[in-house]
């Protein structure tokens, strides 16, 4: 995107980051705000879309992915693992029989992704758990979370989202726990661009810290 000055003067110009909406909504605002505060001349753009970004088309300077790309001329760096759990609102749980085992999930209202709009197999959480049908579905994490907070059913949530959803409580946490990873993806030709290298380093370190902080809450 935009140009940036050298290291002694701090980052400036514009850097655009593409990310899945869960990361973009609950992690990137805090992380990028801290980076921008240290580099007042820097403009950060976050593009939150529930799909894979095309760096070859320069849709973004760098992207965060939920699975490691296998093709393309890209540089790939693992950012961090993160955990997900099954959760529901206390309101919803108070109105149903106690959920003590996976068998108790049968006939419960399930919230998740629209099956034919899951753009990455790493997002097919419900299939991994063994839940075959979805009663309320959206391609956006924020919409799914809205339903969960409203007491509409049970679904899989990122543990780093839980601090923003005090209405929710994990379900079968000892039995059902998923681990995924975020990957930083950059175009291979950008390896010598110092401003992107510096921003990528700050972004990666910031995301690791924020995921740990929020997951430990």
């Amino acid at each position: 995107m935009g140009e940036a000055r050298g290291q002694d003067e701090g980052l400036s110009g514009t850097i655009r980051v593409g990310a899945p909406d869960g990361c973009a909504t609950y992690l990137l605002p805090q992380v990028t705000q801290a980076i921008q505060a240290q580099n007042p001349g820097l403009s950060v753009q976050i593009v939150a879309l529930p799909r894979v970004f095309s760096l070859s088309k320069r849709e973004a300077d760098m992207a965060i992915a939920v699975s490691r790309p296998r093709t393309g001329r890209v540089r790939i760096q693992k950012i961090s693992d993160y955990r997900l759990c099954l959760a529901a609102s206390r309101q919803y749980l108070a109105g149903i029989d106690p959920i003590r085992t996976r068998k108790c999930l049968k006939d419960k209202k399930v919230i998740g992704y629209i099956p034919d709009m899951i753009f990455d197999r790493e997002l097919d959480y419900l299939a991994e758990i063994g839940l075959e049908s979805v009663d309320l579905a959206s391609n956006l994490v924020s919409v799914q979370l809205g339903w969960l907070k409203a007491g509409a059913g049970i679904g899989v949530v990122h543990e780093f989202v839980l601090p923003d959803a005090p209405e929710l409580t994990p379900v079968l946490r000892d039995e059902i726990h998923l681990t995924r990873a975020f990957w930083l993806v950059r175009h291979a030709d950008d390896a010598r661009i110092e401003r992107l290298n510096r921003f990528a380093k700050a972004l990666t370190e910031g995301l690791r810290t924020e995921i740990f902080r929020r997951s430990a809450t």
Side-chain angles (χ1 to χ4, degrees):
M1 298 297 150
E3 294 299 324
R5 295 191 298 269
Q7 185 162 343
D8 293 341
E9 298 182 359
L11 292 170
S12 65
T14 300
I15 295 179
R16 179 180 295 172
V17 182
D21 68 308
C23 177
T25 302
Y26 301 101
L27 296 175
L28 283 181
Q30 296 86 344
V31 173
T32 55
Q33 184 277 331
I35 296 173
Q36 199 278 332
Q38 295 176 356
N39 299 274
L42 177 67
S43 175
V44 179
Q45 299 177 351
I46 298 174
V47 183
L49 290 175
R51 63 170 176 81
V52 177
F53 282 81
S54 174
L55 295 182
S56 63
K57 296 180 181 178
R58 296 296 178 177
E59 292 182 333
D61 292 298
M62 59 190 69
I64 296 168
V66 294
S67 63
R68 183 187 180 98
R70 302 297 179 185
T71 60
R73 294 187 64 254
V74 293
R75 298 180 66 198
I76 305 165
Q77 177 185 359
K78 184 175 181 180
I79 298 173
S80 175
D81 288 331
Y82 61 94
R83 298 189 302 270
L84 305 102
C85 63
L86 200 63
S89 72
R90 293 174 180 82
Q91 172 191 350
Y92 177 75
L93 294 173
I96 62 175
D97 294 332
I99 300 176
R100 297 191 174 94
T101 68
R102 289 187 187 227
K103 291 182 179 180
C104 298
L105 296 174
K106 185 178 180 181
D107 300 328
K108 301 298 185 292
K109 282 199 172 183
V110 176
I111 295 165
Y113 284 104
I114 300 171
D116 62 359
M117 295 186 71
I118 295 176
F119 69 90
D120 192 301
R121 59 182 177 80
E122 295 292 339
L123 300 179
D124 198 4
Y125 312 129
L126 298 179
E128 186 170 336
I129 294 172
L131 297 175
E132 298 180 356
S133 63
V134 182
D135 299 285
L136 295 167
S138 174
N139 64 326
L140 295 178
V141 169
S142 55
V143 176
Q144 294 175 33
L145 187 67
W147 275 324
L148 289 168
K149 292 168 70 173
I154 190 167
V156 173
V157 298
H158 304 75
E159 290 195 0
F160 60 70
V161 170
L162 291 177
D164 291 292
E167 305 93 333
L168 302 187
T169 185
V171 175
L172 300 179
R173 201 170 199 170
D174 293 335
E175 184 177 350
I176 296 176
H177 42 83
L178 307 174
T179 300
R180 295 292 189 267
F182 285 132
W183 301 84
L184 185 66
V185 185
R186 297 173 55 191
H187 198 282
D189 295 339
D190 292 345
R192 297 180 182 179
I193 302 178
E194 184 59 24
R195 71 181 180 102
L196 294 182
N197 292 335
R198 290 173 55 205
F199 181 84
K201 183 175 184 293
L203 184 70
T204 299
E205 292 175 352
L207 282 170
R208 288 171 181 162
T209 299
E210 187 67 9
I211 289 171
F212 177 80
R213 183 187 72 82
R214 295 174 68 86
S215 297
T217 302

